[in-house]
Amino acid sequence: MKEDKNAPKGIYEYYEKKPETADDKVFGRVSYPDRRGFLKGAGLATMAAVLGGAIPFHRNMPAGMIPAAFAEGLEDVVIEGKDGLTVLNDRPMNAETPPHLLNDDITPTTRHFIRNNGIPPTDVDADSWTLTIDGLVDKPMTLTIEDLKKNFDVVEQQLVVECGGNGRAFFEPKAKGNQWTYGAVACSNWTGVRLADVLKAAGVQDGAVYTAHYSADKHLSGKADKLPISRGLPIAKAMGGENLIAFEQNGEPLHPMNGAPLRLVVPGWPGSCSQKWLTRIQVRDQVHDGPKMTGKAYRVPNRPVAPGEKVAKEDFVIIERMPVKSLITSPQTNTEISGNELMVKGHAWSGDRKVNKVQLSTDFGATWLDADLADPANEGAWQTFNAKVQFPQPGYYEVWAKATDDQGVSQPFAIAWNPKGYLNNSFHRVAVVVKG
């Protein structure tokens, strides 16, 4: 087989290259057959050979587990104004950030993931942009960004935004949609005004049930009467003080792909609630029924289901808070080290809750070490953890991370499957090879 110079050494030599697709040629990707499928039947010796070393704690590995060394994509694609993001789709544009590029406590704008549903607007002039508040309110309003700054308290908050489908790539059987791995999450510093303050000024009426959000992006079909997405919030959530109508990210105007010049930021709930290119908030007397609010979009079954099970539409419920989760940002997976110690760092978050504990394992979950865990900078921010781990001998290891929130809920090892591939909060695992 002809050697692929772009493939990581020692990992893909067992895989024949597949023919390139049109998208592969556009993005410069190299395609291989399903690495997981190959490894399902591989013995310990074969697996160790592919990994490049022995696996000291192999007896603790769960049956059928695929090493984290095989979980990553092949190449990053550079996007203008972004640094190192991996493109999943170009129509609409969707791109995630490799975990090791999320090591900062505050995510730089250049490394904030992109999740689009339609075609972004071309006219994003902040001076002429307006936001309308209407529906079940006493005082319908149309506000400029300057009006927001003058009439309401301007606040800065570090807030987590995470796509509801983050981790979809690891569902079996596969779920349709963008195959996010770990990087559809970020915690930037947002500047704006509280959504609750604006709604209070408009005077939310009795009987209000839900907000409805509208934006300036266009449907992929180009039809003016079709919206790519219009989601909303229960009125109780909308009135929470953690949600912002934001006009700055990390002290600068919003990036065009992250919603310039105005967007919602609703931490702890699916990123789809944080409407970008925001033009209107309507207060309604019913659960909003805009595009991607009905059917199976951003919904999960109302009961546990078997992998691959068909679920009727009426048995789906809307996703609200996101689950407890953690992410190892250092070391990068497939790191090789000399010596028996390694400093591990990452972040943890849990919807509307606080994380109380993060634990690390280097022996496939047989034992766990408590990491040092910082408090969140503010409500809605993620929490940074770090710990020094030790390895007893040379070989292949995995560092696993497990977070537990203030309600005692911990991340699972196994994924709770659902048809749309949402809410994957299984352990994050990174591969480490200790050299002798």
Side-chain angles (χ1 to χ4, degrees):
M1 182 177 76
K2 183 179 178 181
E3 180 183 5
D4 171 23
K5 295 181 180 180
N6 294 319
K9 300 298 182 182
I11 298 295
Y12 301 108
E13 59 187 353
Y14 285 80
Y15 302 96
E16 293 291 341
K17 183 179 177 183
K18 290 197 316 187
E20 288 183 326
T21 66
D23 282 347
D24 292 332
K25 291 178 180 178
V26 170
F27 295 128
R29 295 188 299 233
V30 179
S31 299
Y32 291 84
D34 189 345
R35 291 162 278 162
R36 299 182 195 176
F38 169 83
L39 286 171
K40 283 180 179 176
L44 178 63
T46 300
M47 194 176 292
V50 176
L51 293 167
I55 309 175
F57 292 116
H58 66 86
R59 291 182 179 84
N60 298 333
M61 293 174 67
M65 192 201 82
I66 305 304
F70 297 90
E72 300 300 312
L74 289 172
E75 289 193 81
D76 294 338
V77 179
V78 176
I79 303 168
E80 184 177 354
K82 295 290 181 177
D83 177 17
L85 271 62
T86 302
V87 173
L88 303 183
N89 191 8
D90 68 335
R91 185 176 171 83
M93 175 61 74
N94 291 287
E96 67 176 348
T97 312
H100 68 281
L101 296 183
L102 291 171
N103 197 45
D104 297 274
D105 292 351
I106 299 174
T107 306
T109 303
T110 55
R111 293 180 176 175
H112 195 288
F113 75 98
I114 298 168
R115 171 61 174 118
N116 292 347
N117 287 274
I119 303 170
T122 55
D123 183 3
V124 291
D125 179 21
D127 292 335
S128 61
W129 198 270
T130 60
L131 171 65
T132 296
I133 311 295
D134 62 6
L136 289 182
V137 296
D138 296 328
K139 303 174 185 177
M141 300 184 296
T142 297
L143 305 166
T144 65
I145 294 177
E146 192 61 29
D147 290 334
L148 292 172
K149 294 178 180 179
K150 287 182 178 179
N151 299 332
F152 301 95
D153 290 338
V154 175
V155 296
E156 291 186 22
Q157 300 270 43
Q158 295 176 32
L159 301 174
V160 173
V161 178
E162 181 181 16
C163 178
N166 198 21
R168 180 180 288 127
F170 305 115
F171 279 84
E172 292 291 349
K174 293 293 186 186
K176 292 183 179 179
N178 292 301
Q179 296 300 299
W180 305 104
T181 60
Y182 302 107
V185 64
C187 185
S188 287
N189 190 56
W190 303 94
T191 302
V193 300
R194 297 180 184 89
L195 170 62
D197 290 350
V198 176
L199 292 176
K200 288 174 183 175
V204 176
Q205 296 178 0
D206 293 341
V209 172
Y210 232 82
T211 61
H213 311 150
Y214 300 91
S215 51
D217 48 335
K218 304 300 182 183
H219 193 271
L220 293 176
S221 68
K223 296 181 179 179
D225 61 341
K226 295 191 71 174
L227 302 177
I229 186 170
S230 175
R231 288 180 51 76
L233 297 169
I235 199 68
K237 173 63 177 176
M239 299 304 288
E242 70 277 12
N243 313 306
L244 294 186
I245 301 173
F247 39 75
E248 288 186 3
Q249 180 180 8
N250 297 323
E252 300 289 341
L254 302 181
H255 186 281
M257 283 291 176
N258 294 131
L262 197 68
R263 67 169 294 165
L264 283 172
V265 182
V266 181
W269 284 41
S272 56
C273 296
S274 297
Q275 198 94 13
K276 299 191 292 185
W277 308 292
L278 184 67
T279 58
R280 179 189 179 200
I281 299 174
Q282 179 189 26
V283 179
R284 303 193 64 185
D285 61 357
Q286 66 175 65
V287 176
H288 184 43
D289 56 359
K292 300 201 174 181
M293 274 296 300
T294 60
K296 299 178 182 179
Y298 299 102
R299 294 176 179 238
V300 293
N302 59 10
R303 64 184 189 280
V305 298
E309 180 181 340
K310 299 294 184 182
V311 183
K313 286 185 179 181
E314 60 267 22
D315 291 333
F316 282 80
V317 294
I318 298 171
I319 297 170
E320 294 189 344
R321 67 173 305 276
M322 295 291 285
V324 61
K325 200 165 185 178
S326 58
L327 182 74
I328 298 170
T329 56
S330 179
Q332 181 177 355
T333 197
N334 293 324
T335 289
E336 294 185 359
I337 66 169
S338 298
N340 66 344
E341 290 187 341
L342 179 67
M343 181 61 71
V344 178
K345 181 186 174 183
H347 311 295
W349 61 97
S350 183
D352 297 329
R353 302 173 184 172
K354 184 179 178 181
V355 175
N356 274 3
K357 178 170 59 177
V358 173
Q359 296 172 295
L360 304 177
S361 178
T362 57
D363 54 12
F364 301 104
T367 61
W368 294 89
L369 166 71
D370 287 344
D372 292 330
L373 178 65
D375 286 331
N378 49 255
E379 183 179 0
W382 62 21
Q383 297 169 241
T384 297
F385 66 84
N386 64 80
K388 184 178 291 185
V389 299
Q390 296 185 331
F391 306 100
Q393 66 186 73
Y396 172 83
Y397 294 85
E398 294 189 2
V399 180
W400 293 4
K402 177 176 66 173
T404 302
D405 68 24
D406 59 10
Q407 299 298 308
V409 178
S410 297
Q411 292 179 257
F413 171 78
I415 301 168
W417 186 88
N418 64 82
K420 296 289 288 183
Y422 293 125
L423 305 182
N424 181 358
N425 69 328
S426 55
F427 301 162
H428 184 208
R429 306 181 285 130
V430 299
V432 177
V433 175
V434 179
K435 294 297 186 180

